Amino acid sequence: MISFTVHPSPQLHGTLRVPGDKSISHRAIMLGAIAEGTTQVHGFLEGEDTLATLAVFQAMGVAIEGPRQGQVTIHGVGLQGLKPPAAPLYLGNSGTSIRLLTGLLAGQSFAVEMHGDASLSRRPMRRVTAPLAQMGACIQTTEAGTPPLKIIGTQPLMGIHYPLPVASAQVKSCLLLAGLYAKGTTCVVEPAPTRDHTERMLTGFGYSIQQEGQQVCLQGGGKLRAMTIDVPADLSSAAFFIVGATIANNSQVLLQHVGINPTRTGVIDILRLMGAKITFQNQRDIGGEPVADILVQSSSLHGIEIPRELVPLAIDEFPILFIAAACAKGKTVLTGAEELRVKESDRIQVMADGLQAVGIDAQPTPDGMIIHGGQLAGGTVKSHGDHRIAMAFTMAALRATDTIMIEDCANVATSFPNFVQLAQQAGINLYQQESKA
Ligand code: S3P
């Protein structure tokens, strides 16, 4: 059991590079493994989630060297080259791994089982198994539609035209990966834009996709050609420091080489609407993904009604955005975000409980939250093993009058393994304790 103790911390400063993008790192391993030739990855996130993805491809016979300081070499086996694993595949805490892999493995010539930790075992999988069944896949879940999953590979799958009932990049990506193994055309229509790293990376691997408005289609049976991938720093990890520097007094932080794909920058748009001073410097394109250095300065924030169309574009950043709202003048209202209830934890309930524990008026609603900005006190917060809850409350120390204790923080290592060191380096009075669970 790891817990964090954070004492009031006056300022945040420095030039920081946060680890590689989690979404891009997962996809680099998956597509590199089924490509033809050797894919080189730089800036790979060495977090538990992406390492889980890497290990399952090794278990399916893919030779992968590294990671060594973010460098990974993947000797692709081609679309039909994966081997049956000797044991069930363990995906830990990682929803992205299990959902994308379900699509990729539904059309293999062998059977596999996938399972995860207590949090992953509660997460809904019917959103992927139902459309995959329409493609002809044979997948078993628990009665509740949760992992473990048993997949009996079906060859070939059949392409479908699928309007997504929820705006989810994981479901979209799952179906596109299954579509690689399907006869005919697979089309996915999104109700609202979600992160498009799969589409960009498939194009980079030389696989033809057709995009028109909210629809993306591909034909099965093609080939992926190995490539070199430079993974930018993860905006979702940078977001903790962006909000930290915004809410702290007399602070300035420069975050280097951060991915600013427009399907991810909802957090920046929301913070700017609240009054944050954030500028992109040195904007460039790295291997098909836009990247910038992000300069952030202290600002006084005001509450807003968060525009609903920004919700899917900021879906992982609400824990830290709620901290920003707690430090803002007036009321912030979030609606249309019921998806937050099925993330690594129920992020609406867990954040509302945590904010109340540190003296903030935060009212959970079925699909969001109403937060009245105020003075953060000290208190004890339960993170429920959710990495982003733990990191969000760490940044609250920049405005709290007393010490905040955060319980159950081990999963910070799933997405941001050096968070404690970087936070300390930037000025947070953070101490980590380990005890027997
Ligand atoms: C991800 C998509 C998002 C996000 C998750 C990573 C991805 O999930 O919350 O952390 O890499 O595709 P949904 O698409 O289910 O919202």
Side-chain angles (χ1 to χ4, degrees), residues 22-23 27 96 99-100 127 167-171 173 195 315-316 339 343-344 388:
K22 182 152 76 72
S23 294
R27 288 157 171 82
T96 307
R99 294 212 179 99
L100 271 58
R127 55 181 60 198
S168 164
Q170 290 182 350
V171 180
S173 302
R195 66 192 69 193
I315 195 66
D316 289 340
E339 273 295 294
K343 293 294 178 188
E344 286 85 327
R388 299 199 201 279

Side-chain angles (χ1 to χ4, degrees), residues 33 45 78 229 262 264:
L45 167 64
I229 297 169
R264 297 284 297 279

Side-chain angles (χ1 to χ4, degrees), residues 338-356:
E338 54 279 351
E339 273 295 294
L340 294 181
R341 293 203 178 267
V342 290
K343 293 294 178 188
E344 286 85 327
S345 69
D346 174 345
R347 287 182 175 162
I348 292 177
Q349 193 59 50
V350 171
M351 281 302 301
D353 292 346
L355 286 169
Q356 287 165 13

